[in-house]
Each structure stands twice: as structure tokens, then as C-alpha cells.
Amino acid sequence: MEEKRNVRVGIDVGGTHTKAVAIDNSTHDIVGEAIVMTTHDHKMGVAAGVIECFEKCLSRNNIKPEEVIFIAHSTTQATNALLEGDVAKVGILGMSAGGLEGLLAKRQSNVPDISLGTGRFIRTCHTFLKTKQINESAISDAIDDLQDQGAQVIIASKAFGVDSIKEELLVQEIAEEKGLLVSAASDISKLYGLTRRTRTAAINGSILPKMLSTATSTEQSVRSAGIDVPLMIMRGDGGVMDILEMKKRPVLTMLSGPAASVMGALMYLRASNGIYFEVGGTSTNIGVIKNGRPAVEYTIIGGHKTYVNSLDVRVLGVAGGSMIRASNNKLVDVGPRSAHIAGLKYSAYTPTEEIQDPKIEFFSPRKGDPADYVRIRLKNGECITLTNSCAANVLGLCRPEDYSFGIVESARKCMAVLAEYLQISIEEAAMQIMEKSYGKIMPVLDELMAKYRLERDQTTLVGVGGGAASLIPYSAKKLSIGYSIPKYAEIISSIGVALAMVRDVVERIIPNPTTEDITRIKREAKALAIKNGALPDSVEVQIEIDAQTSRVSAIALGSTEVQSMDLRLRCSEEDAHVISAESMRADPSEVYLIEKSDIFYVFGRKNADKQQIRLVDIRGFVKVQCADGEVAACQVKDWEAVVERLWEAKLGYERQMVQTPDIYLAIGGKLLDYSNTLGLEQLRIIMRSEFLDAEPEEDIILISARREVI
């Protein structure tokens, strides 16, 4: 009898294509793929493409519905709805006690129309109740008033609602009885700040009708295909959540596409610090991987910060398909219009025999665009164009295994026409194209490296997306740093969705938190992750504290299914030694083992008066890398004294400022990151919560790394 496979399916919705990947849960081998055009104009929106792609992936690869144990998809719906202004008008019901607090709350909850930065707005209206007036009748009348003002969705927002949400829940109950959608502000975020919390809830509420329609259609289709496992949705912060949770907080799915790419890249990469490029045909998303995790920030909409966590991403209008602009025998620019927008093929992907008698022409891709974009007219009357991908192929930057690799001779024949116009060589024309593109990328790289304190010699550029090879090799060469384009770069986002973990964040304002406070918020985050589908034993919780705002964040990550690991994927000590040396860009003879456990290897290398550190797990992933670190192994019962010694050893004083070290703890199979802790006592409070249930004789590894001032 044939053994049943367990299959995970991930579907990524891109601007042009929707791609599905089926992965064997035990080995992580790809067992199926499918691709369809993204269905932006369908009456069901992109959901139609998700369903079509999913069904095609199963049927074409002989995957039985009962074999699917996990299905998830990213979505562009939230982002597109906000970009295109396809949003509902929201009615805000503000609530507060009376007196001065009431006057302030009435003003702060009356959020004006929210600019979407595109000339479009989320329209709002407002009414207000004092808490002593609140009863079912008053709430019903207030909701009717908001409906009379044109509200399609109700926002319930009470001053200090994070302390007691019962009034907001009562509004929700009554509004739902009237058949209305509701967004409760304190259900979206538990942080203080009435205006910001209300604005976040309003943004969430504005896209509820659109997102609910899509989610319902997708879920029904998955169920009709015989799939009984929960349908998961990619979040913008790199995790997944159950579709029921998405129906409450759809705003969390913003930027889920870039998040999918990053999480996919992390499955295949062995670098813990890097800058990633998700390179498509039209645009490139650039962000940071720090200590093995993507950098996450609050999303800014219309110039205002929200309480929505998503990847900290910069979007540039330069990518693999960006077209060239030229005028007066000079190269003017590269992008932002792409070959896709203009409906033109790339010269690098055009058969050489078709390129006969090529002539340069200038045109305007869209009404209102400059009329200096370059296209090449062929003898047969067809037009093609030159792009970054073409230039990269001419310069030999694309390898045969890269998705961007094309027909070099075709690219050269068309580049020769541009070169003649510019009165330079073919190679110089291609170089100028790459230099123009790099000129847009470089300021973003500098900003991100400074913001996240990335040391240049410890940083790798990571390329994902089909166009990665068109930009990454040149940028890495200019910066004199390494780069990596993972296997399956062109479908990496779908892999990221398929292998994503449940991620939930609980945030509270807690001045001077105690160990009990930390323990409580960790338990809450773990419970939320389990509620959203994570297996209890798989959940790990990371604590972050912002001393300036007293914000305590508990970030829970957990697997949706026990993923047994093929023993072939395990990393030996010898393998880890080589991986560490490669990461340090050093000869293996210079690298030595410092400590090891059943799960982790820690290697070092002397570099002048510093010791470089790499911690590698048994899958061969570099989980910690630092330029100046110290390592100690001890038992749980001795952790406080060892931590104090390591803290003092790497405490720095630069530019009249104290530079606190980054501390890492390897305990059992977990690696916990305590970087950015502002004081030793705060560190003790956070770490103490981790050791409450640990055995005193359990072995642990501690790493202290000096923070470098950039």
C-alpha cells in the first residue's frame, strides 16, 4: 500500500502572475508547481486566480486533496484596495469618560479623511458618546446616525479601551445585529494612543467589505475541492494567520507579497544578516534581514504611522524589466516604466534570428509619460525593448542557472543600436544602464545599513524574484560585498508561503516591566499563536522592549505542522565549519570550534583584536553572526553570573554614548535574541522568564556581541 504524502501548498499572488508550489512536508522537496495570470479584472478579483492556480497545481501533479495538510496564500488585495481607493466609508463611534478626558477623546477619535497618498482617501464620519451615556439604545441611535452620514462600516473606539474593551464589544454586537461590519480599535491594537489606534481601525474597517468577499470565495472553493485543513493567509510581517482572523484584521495582510519572498529566501539561505532585493519586472522591494529575521516596522499610510506591523520595505521603480530612456545622444534614465507596461518583449529573450535590421525608436509608453523611452523596431515590424536584464546579460552578470539568463547575442545586437546612438561601445552602454539603476539603489542600501547597524563586512545581498540576477551581481560588485541568489528564486515567494509559520504579536505599554509582566505577555502571545493554528510545542516567544515608549512586544512563532527533517539535511560539524568560514570569507584553517550542543555549533575566528562569531544550527543555517563577540557555555543555575560577565566584556563607549552589547541564548533547540536591550537589569528581567521552567543543570550557550557604531 502506497504511503500517503503530506503536502504543503503555498500560493503567491504577484502583480503579473499567481504561482502555486506544492512541497513535501517531510523532505521539503517541490512536488508540484502551477502558474496563471493574476486575475485583477475578474469579478472575484485575485481570488479567481488563487483558486485556478491551486486546482491546476493539484490536478497536474496528481496530488490528492486528502494529502494536503497545509494551504496558504499571500494576497495583494489589501494593498491594492488602498492604492486604488477601493474602500468603504467608515463611521467612527468614539467613547470616553466626561470632563477634560472626554473633550480630548472626542477630538482625538474624530479622525479626518485618511489620505492614501495617491489622491484618494478613506472617507470618515464621527459621533461620540460619554461612557455614562452608554447603553444599547444610545449605541443603536449612534450607529443609525453614522449610517445616515453614509457609513458602511462601523469603528468602535474608546479612550483607554485597551484597559477594558467591553464597550467596544457592545458596539460590535449591536452593529452586527444591524447587518454591519465592525472594527473594534482595541481588538486591532492593545497600545495606547487613541488617534493612532482609531486610525488603524479605520483603515482596517475600510477594506473589510472587499477582503471578506475575497476570503469567502476562496475558502468556499478550497472546501469544494475537498480540502478540510484551515486556509491560512500570509501576513505582512512574515507569518501566517487563519482566515477567520484575517476576516477580523485584514489590514495585517498588507505587503504580504514581499513578506512571502523574504520568508522563502530564509528557508534557503545561510546568512543571518543581509539586505534582500525582491526583483520583479516593474519594481524592486528592498529590506533587511537582521539576526536571521526580517526587519519589521509599523506601516505608514498617508504620512501617518499605524499600529500595523509589516516588513520595513522600500519600493523602487527599477527592476529587471525597466526600460531605458535616452535623449540628445545621452542616457537619461532607467525606468520607472517596464517592458511589461509597454507590452514589449525583452531583447535578451528574443530569438537571435528574429533580430534583423534593428533600429532605435523613441516613444511614450503611457499617456503623459516622457516620449524618450527606447524601443527597437525589427525588420518584421515587431518592436522589442532594452532592459536591465538585457544589460546584465551583455555584461555576463547572469549565470545560466539564473532565471534572468537570456540570449546574450540577441541582447548585444540590440544594445549595439543604443550604443551607436550614444556613440560609445556596447559594453559601455550596458554599463551606463546598470550604473543608472545602481544610482537609485545605493541611497536605499546606505540608509538601511545605517538604520539597522549592519556592518558592511558582515552583510550579504540577497536576491529573490525572477529579476534578481539583473540587479544583484552589479550592486554587490560596486559595494565589494558578497551576494546570494537562492535556489528557486523565481518561485521563492510561493515557497515562503508554503513553509511559513504562524506569527502573532502581543503589544502592551508596561512601564518598568517585571518578570511576572514578561511571563504574562509571553503566555498571551503563545495562546494567540496556538489559537491561530500553531502547534503548542512548536511555539517560541521573543520579547522586545522599547524603553522610550515603554512598549513591550511578545512575538510568537510556531509551526502549523510538525515538519520532520530528512536526515540528509542535517549539518555535520565539518559542514558547519566550512559554512562558518565561507560566511566569514576566511580560510577554514583560520576558523575554530568554540562550543557545540545537539542543535548548534559556535565557531570563531581571530581578526586583529576581535573575535568573529558564527552560530550555525544543524540545518546549516547561520543564525548569529557578529564581528566582535565572546561565547560561554554554562548550566542554567549559573546564567546570571555568566551573563553579567559577558555584558561587561562587550559593553562599549563610543562618541560619548554607552553601546550595550547584543546577547543571544541557545537553550535546548531554541535560539533567543536579546539584542537592543538597554540595560543589564532589563535583560535579567526578560531572561528570567525564560528560565522559570528550565532544569538547573540544563546546558546553555551564551553569546555577547559588541555593537559597532556605523
Side-chain angles (χ1 to χ4, degrees):
M1 180 175 160
E2 186 180 347
E3 187 177 348
K4 173 189 161 187
R5 289 181 299 179
N6 288 332
V7 176
R8 302 172 72 88
V9 178
I11 306 168
D12 178 61
V13 183
T16 305
H17 294 107
T18 295
K19 300 176 182 179
V21 169
I23 296 178
D24 187 294
N25 187 62
S26 297
T27 64
H28 289 183
D29 290 336
I30 294 175
V31 296
E33 294 180 47
I35 182 170
V36 302
M37 298 299 292
T38 300
T39 51
H40 293 292
D41 299 325
H42 195 280
K43 64 180 180 180
M44 289 173 56
V46 297
V50 170
I51 296 160
E52 180 187 354
C53 201
F54 169 68
E55 292 174 344
K56 185 181 288 187
C57 185
L58 265 59
S59 62
R60 289 190 174 180
N61 299 287
N62 299 315
I63 299 169
K64 301 179 181 67
E66 60 269 22
E67 292 180 317
V68 178
I69 61 167
F70 176 91
I71 177 171
H73 71 85
S74 70
T75 175
T76 60
Q77 292 267 201
T79 304
N80 288 350
L82 293 170
L83 285 174
E84 296 163 11
D86 189 6
V87 292
K89 184 173 182 177
V90 297
I92 301 167
L93 174 48
M95 296 168 283
S96 173
L100 179 59
E101 179 188 313
L103 289 172
L104 289 171
K106 186 174 184 179
R107 185 175 74 246
Q108 291 172 355
S109 64
N110 188 6
V111 174
D113 291 349
I114 300 168
S115 169
L116 297 174
T118 58
R120 298 180 172 91
F121 293 84
I122 296 171
R123 302 299 177 185
T124 67
C125 53
H126 178 262
T127 192
F128 186 82
L129 290 174
K130 295 179 181 177
T131 48
K132 64 182 180 182
Q133 300 172 322
I134 293 176
N135 56 53
E136 292 187 13
S137 177
I139 290 173
S140 180
D141 289 344
I143 292 172
D144 290 343
D145 176 29
L146 292 171
Q147 279 191 282
D148 289 342
Q149 296 181 60
Q152 300 161 279
V153 178
I154 302 301
I155 308 303
S157 186
K158 174 178 171 282
F160 303 103
V162 296
D163 297 329
S164 174
I165 196 176
K166 65 179 182 179
E167 290 88 356
E168 291 185 11
L169 294 179
L170 182 59
V171 173
Q172 183 173 357
E173 180 184 333
I174 294 170
E176 287 175 346
E177 287 175 359
K178 293 175 177 285
L180 293 167
L181 296 173
V182 191
S183 181
S186 301
D187 201 26
I188 304 298
S189 172
K190 300 296 185 186
L191 294 179
Y192 296 115
L194 182 58
T195 300
R196 192 162 159 187
R197 193 167 68 248
T198 305
R199 185 187 301 115
T200 304
I203 294 167
N204 185 75
S206 74
I207 59 176
L208 270 173
K210 181 84 171 178
M211 297 295 287
L212 275 176
S213 172
T214 301
T216 301
S217 300
T218 308
E219 188 174 31
Q220 287 174 350
S221 296
V222 168
R223 296 288 167 260
S224 66
I227 307 296
D228 294 326
V229 297
L231 175 61
M232 310 297 283
I233 313 296
M234 195 81 192
R235 293 166 46 137
D237 58 11
V240 289
M241 60 182 177
D242 187 279
I243 195 167
L244 295 176
E245 186 67 18
M246 192 277 272
K247 289 178 179 179
K248 287 170 50 183
R249 300 191 288 170
V251 73
L252 298 184
T253 66
M254 287 179 59
L255 291 176
S256 67
S261 292
V262 177
M263 301 317 291
L266 287 174
M267 304 295 171
Y268 287 89
L269 290 175
R270 289 172 167 171
S272 56
N273 287 348
I275 294 178
Y276 62 83
F277 291 61
E278 184 200 21
V279 187
T282 302
S283 62
T284 295
N285 298 305
I286 303 178
V288 166
I289 297 168
K290 181 74 182 285
N291 298 328
R293 295 180 295 164
V296 173
E297 268 210 346
Y298 289 131
T299 301
I300 296 176
I301 296 176
H304 297 286
K305 276 196 172 184
T306 68
Y307 281 139
V308 178
N309 281 303
S310 65
L311 267 63
D312 186 9
V313 169
R314 308 292 186 275
V315 181
L316 296 181
V318 58
S322 297
M323 294 189 297
I324 315 308
R325 292 176 55 201
S327 180
N328 297 321
N329 301 103
K330 294 186 184 302
L331 189 72
V332 174
D333 203 356
V334 178
R337 291 300 190 199
S338 67
H340 171 69
I341 294 295
L344 298 174
K345 290 194 300 185
Y346 301 21
S347 67
Y349 310 129
T350 302
T352 306
E353 61 270 18
E354 293 182 15
I355 304 177
Q356 300 294 326
D357 194 22
K359 289 184 170 56
I360 193 167
E361 291 185 354
F362 301 96
F363 75 113
S364 176
R366 291 280 176 92
K367 186 177 179 179
D369 286 345
D372 57 4
Y373 279 91
V374 171
R375 66 187 177 195
I376 306 296
R377 185 170 295 277
L378 306 179
K379 185 177 181 179
N380 62 9
E382 183 183 355
C383 285
I384 58 177
T385 193
L386 289 163
T387 65
N388 277 318
S389 295
C390 303
N393 273 279
V394 166
L395 294 173
L397 297 173
C398 298
R399 304 164 300 178
E401 62 267 29
D402 292 327
Y403 194 75
S404 297
F405 185 73
I407 307 168
V408 176
E409 184 57 30
S410 294
R412 286 186 65 86
K413 287 181 75 172
C414 290
M415 192 67 68
V417 181
L418 176 66
E420 183 180 358
Y421 174 79
L422 299 176
Q423 300 174 8
I424 55 179
S425 70
I426 294 173
E427 286 73 20
E428 181 61 25
M431 189 73 75
Q432 283 192 20
I433 291 170
M434 300 306 299
E435 194 64 25
K436 282 284 185 186
S437 297
Y438 178 70
K440 298 180 179 183
I441 293 167
M442 182 181 64
V444 174
L445 298 182
D446 288 343
E447 179 209 343
L448 290 173
M449 292 182 81
K451 179 177 180 179
Y452 290 100
R453 308 170 66 85
L454 296 176
E455 301 157 46
R456 191 176 292 269
D457 63 347
Q458 303 288 303
T459 301
T460 300
L461 298 189
V462 177
V464 295
S470 67
L471 294 179
I472 302 298
Y474 189 84
S475 298
K477 185 177 180 181
K478 291 287 290 187
L479 289 165
S480 299
I481 61 177
Y483 76 91
S484 175
I485 298 177
K487 191 178 181 182
Y488 307 122
E490 71 279 5
I491 55 169
I492 204 78
S493 52
S494 300
I495 295 171
V497 177
L499 297 179
M501 303 175 80
V502 173
R503 185 183 196 273
D504 275 289
V505 182
V506 174
E507 297 180 308
R508 295 284 187 276
I509 301 298
I510 310 175
N512 303 313
T514 63
T515 298
E516 289 72 25
D517 292 326
I518 300 297
T519 303
R520 192 179 305 115
I521 194 172
K522 285 176 68 173
R523 286 174 179 160
E524 187 177 347
K526 181 174 181 177
L528 188 58
I530 293 169
K531 175 186 172 186
N532 281 319
L535 292 171
D537 290 343
S538 74
V539 179
E540 296 181 11
V541 183
Q542 188 80 40
I543 293 292
E544 294 180 357
I545 298 178
D546 186 331
Q548 289 185 324
T549 62
S550 298
R551 185 183 75 242
V552 180
S553 303
I555 304 161
L557 277 172
S559 172
T560 55
E561 179 71 25
V562 176
Q563 299 175 36
S564 61
M565 189 182 301
D566 190 323
L567 291 178
R568 293 172 300 169
L569 303 177
R570 295 176 70 92
C571 177
S572 67
E573 180 180 324
E574 292 74 20
D575 293 334
H577 191 153
V578 172
I579 290 165
S580 297
E582 289 176 350
S583 174
M584 295 177 187
R585 302 183 181 94
D587 188 280
S589 62
E590 301 173 10
V591 177
Y592 46 86
L593 180 70
I594 301 175
E595 295 290 348
K596 69 177 180 178
S597 68
D598 291 339
I599 307 296
F600 302 108
Y601 305 99
V602 185
F603 287 89
R605 174 194 179 225
K606 286 294 182 184
N607 186 11
D609 59 341
K610 300 177 182 179
Q611 179 177 234
Q612 287 181 276
I613 299 293
R614 296 293 185 271
L615 181 144
V616 181
D617 69 11
I618 56 171
R619 297 177 303 160
F621 286 71
V622 179
K623 306 299 288 186
V624 174
Q625 64 181 65
C626 58
D628 184 8
E630 188 167 333
V631 182
C634 66
Q635 294 184 327
V636 165
K637 62 184 180 183
D638 301 316
W639 75 269
E640 286 199 66
V642 175
V643 164
E644 182 173 355
R645 176 174 66 79
L646 291 177
W647 179 275
E648 294 296 335
K650 294 303 172 186
L651 194 65
Y653 300 90
E654 299 262 0
R655 300 174 189 172
Q656 299 182 331
M657 293 179 63
V658 175
Q659 301 293 327
T660 58
D662 293 333
I663 302 292
Y664 304 90
L665 165 68
I667 178 170
K670 296 188 294 185
L671 177 71
L672 298 168
D673 178 350
Y674 298 105
S675 56
N676 299 317
T677 306
L678 293 181
L680 180 57
E681 188 53 39
Q682 184 186 85
L683 178 65
R684 286 195 183 105
I685 290 169
I686 299 172
M687 293 186 74
R688 203 168 282 138
S689 68
E690 191 60 42
F691 294 117
L692 290 176
D693 300 321
E695 293 295 328
E697 284 75 33
E698 184 174 356
D699 292 324
I700 61 175
I701 298 173
L702 289 157
I703 298 174
S704 177
R706 190 186 303 277
R707 290 192 205 168
E708 296 294 325
V709 178
I710 306 298

